[in-house]
Amino acid sequence: MLQTHQNEQLALVRESAKQFAQEFIKPYLMDWDERQYFPVELFKKMGEYGFMGIIVPEQYNGAGLSYQEYITILDEISQVCGSIGLSVAAHNSLCTNHILSFANEEQKKKYLPKLATAEWIGAWGLTETGSGSDAGGLATTAVRDGDYYIINGSKTFITHAISGDVAVVMVRTGKKGDKRAVTAFIIEKDTPGFTAGEKINKLGMRASETASLFFDNCRVHKDQVIGVEGEGFIQALKLLDGGRISIAALSLGIARGAYNCALRYANEREQFEEKIFNFQDVGFKLADLATKIDASELLIRRAGELKDHNKKVTKEGAMAKLYASEVAVEVANESVQIHGGYGFTKDFPAEKFFRDAKLCTIGEGTSAIQKMVIAREIQKDA
């Protein structure tokens, strides 16, 4: 970790998250993974620890911590289970942070205390079946009807779609393709015409609930608009700058978890009367992985530092997310390889890290999208 952040508070936060993960997550993670069970009760417990409103100010019942603590908490939790880390990231950086960043004071007072304490679980909806990376091509529409909007359409790949108590969703209120024709709405679970689909059966991140959201003549009052009509897409893009730090921190934790189990195994497993760590192929491989993990953290901490000082983080967030997510996949892959045949079994944790890691290169903007963002930013410096 960066020397400048080795302060007492960060150390306390790290220890708290580490102990929580060991006590409340580790004993159950494979059962949750096998059953695709989303442990709502665990997130209620996290609310007691302040892990569901990490960057929310104390005036809204949040923990009032910085992005450095946020990165640390996600890192520690994800070292044990990427699924739980993903849900913590989605709740904090998307739904909750959208309201914190762009909602009016009345909306903040109504929703943030419930979200920050996990009385309510939050969801966030941008992706649609026909618009993944092309986030501007939304088909879900909202038509004004007096003081209400009538919403029709659907969202897909939504974290907490079924169990979420409230969702922030981006909906088209003008011409398709017009980035100033998208509006963000806060929609509560029991709103008529607002339903969730079946849980999606996934390769990894199986304990993090994913499903579709459906809107069938869903009537939403104008008071549920975040900001003003037409600002939703701009809000979403700004939010994703910070959200990429979350996925980068998630990636860091998964990489560390995969690396640590490979390191332990390499120092225990013997072949030809020698610990396999002492074979140059294995020892050098682990040396490379350790270096890349540290490089990931440096990029993530830099982005977090900029975010904490309210500075632009578009390029740095994309760099951190791109590099850390690709490193997580590499480390998880090599961890399975170092475990040999045992790495292909569920008796060792390597296979779960392997399955969970891949989502990090896809969610909140694929690696290709990150390169597009970085390229656009560096061109400005030419």
Side-chain angles (χ1 to χ4, degrees):
M1 196 195 315
L2 289 173
Q3 187 67 36
T4 52
H5 297 120
Q6 286 181 328
N7 56 50
E8 187 177 344
Q9 178 164 291
L10 204 61
L12 288 171
V13 167
R14 183 177 292 282
E15 188 58 31
S16 175
K18 188 173 188 174
Q19 288 184 359
F20 184 94
Q22 291 296 319
E23 182 176 353
F24 298 110
I25 300 174
K26 190 173 182 179
Y28 315 105
L29 63 90
M30 287 310 295
D31 175 56
W32 295 338
D33 182 81
E34 293 283 344
R35 294 193 289 131
Q36 276 209 119
Y37 176 72
F38 178 62
V40 174
E41 67 282 359
L42 174 76
F43 292 93
K44 302 292 185 184
K45 174 70 72 174
M46 281 201 215
E48 298 172 16
Y49 279 69
F51 297 160
M52 298 297 274
I54 301 169
I55 58 174
V56 174
E58 292 179 13
Q59 70 187 90
Y60 303 114
N61 291 350
L65 298 174
S66 73
Y67 262 79
Q68 298 303 332
E69 282 88 10
Y70 181 38
I71 291 164
T72 299
I73 290 166
L74 276 179
D75 176 12
E76 287 296 333
I77 289 173
S78 304
Q79 284 184 48
V80 175
C81 182
S83 291
I84 304 305
L86 175 62
S87 278
V88 172
H91 176 93
N92 275 277
S93 74
L94 296 178
C95 178
T96 303
N97 198 31
H98 198 138
I99 295 170
L100 175 64
S101 300
F102 301 108
N104 60 42
E105 191 59 29
E106 186 178 344
Q107 292 168 333
K108 288 179 183 179
K109 287 179 179 177
K110 181 177 181 180
Y111 292 107
L112 288 178
K114 292 180 178 180
L115 289 164
T117 58
E119 178 184 343
W120 280 14
I121 303 293
W124 191 80
L126 176 61
T127 302
E128 297 181 2
T129 304
S131 59
S133 294
D134 177 17
L138 302 182
T140 300
T141 59
V143 177
R144 191 71 183 260
D145 180 24
D147 287 342
Y148 288 83
Y149 288 85
I150 310 301
I151 302 177
N152 283 285
S154 64
K155 298 289 177 181
T156 192
F157 296 128
I158 307 303
T159 305
H160 311 149
I162 301 168
S163 299
D165 299 282
V166 64
V168 173
V169 296
M170 272 49 67
V171 180
R172 185 161 57 83
T173 47
K175 292 182 179 179
K176 192 170 185 178
D178 181 357
K179 292 178 180 178
R180 293 193 173 272
V182 174
T183 303
F185 292 86
I186 305 173
I187 308 180
E188 295 180 22
K189 187 175 189 175
D190 58 358
T191 304
F194 179 44
T195 56
E198 295 294 317
K199 190 179 293 185
I200 296 171
N201 192 4
K202 306 193 301 285
L203 167 72
M205 300 293 197
R206 290 171 59 80
S208 180
E209 177 187 280
T210 309
S212 294
L213 291 174
F214 298 103
F215 307 90
D216 182 10
N217 291 321
C218 178
R219 288 174 62 83
V220 180
H221 196 270
K222 64 181 182 180
D223 289 347
Q224 299 304 103
V225 170
I226 299 179
V228 299
E229 183 178 308
E231 285 186 347
F233 189 73
I234 296 153
Q235 293 170 4
L237 289 182
K238 289 179 181 177
L239 201 73
L240 286 170
D241 282 348
R244 286 166 183 150
I245 300 174
S246 298
I247 301 300
L250 168 68
S251 303
L252 176 66
I254 291 172
R256 277 219 176 100
Y259 167 81
N260 287 333
C261 71
L263 183 63
R264 283 194 303 270
Y265 185 81
N267 277 294
E268 293 168 358
R269 175 71 167 171
E270 291 189 1
Q271 292 287 274
F272 309 105
E273 299 183 349
E274 188 79 48
K275 293 185 187 300
I276 64 169
F277 182 91
N278 295 327
F279 299 142
Q280 191 175 84
D281 177 65
V282 176
F284 278 20
K285 187 177 289 181
L286 286 163
D288 282 341
L289 299 180
T291 302
K292 290 179 179 180
I293 290 168
D294 275 13
S296 294
E297 182 168 17
L298 286 166
L299 285 169
I300 298 163
R301 294 290 179 187
R302 179 183 69 165
E305 186 81 4
L306 289 171
K307 190 69 177 168
D308 279 333
H309 287 87
N310 295 313
K311 293 183 179 179
K312 186 179 178 183
V313 74
T314 305
K315 180 181 72 175
E316 291 80 4
M319 284 180 168
K321 198 269 189 187
L322 170 65
Y323 188 77
S325 64
E326 293 290 346
V327 166
V329 170
E330 181 185 358
V331 176
N333 181 58
E334 295 291 4
S335 181
V336 170
Q337 193 69 25
I338 288 169
H339 280 79
Y342 292 108
F344 208 66
T345 73
K346 291 185 180 289
D347 296 329
F348 287 80
E351 64 85 28
K352 184 176 182 297
F353 288 119
F354 179 79
R355 289 185 289 108
D356 288 346
K358 189 57 194 170
L359 186 276
C360 298
T361 67
I362 300 170
E364 292 197 36
T366 63
S367 291
I369 290 294
Q370 304 313 313
K371 291 176 183 179
M372 189 186 300
V373 171
I374 296 165
R376 190 185 303 132
E377 291 298 309
I378 63 175
Q379 189 176 32
K380 296 174 184 176
D381 301 329

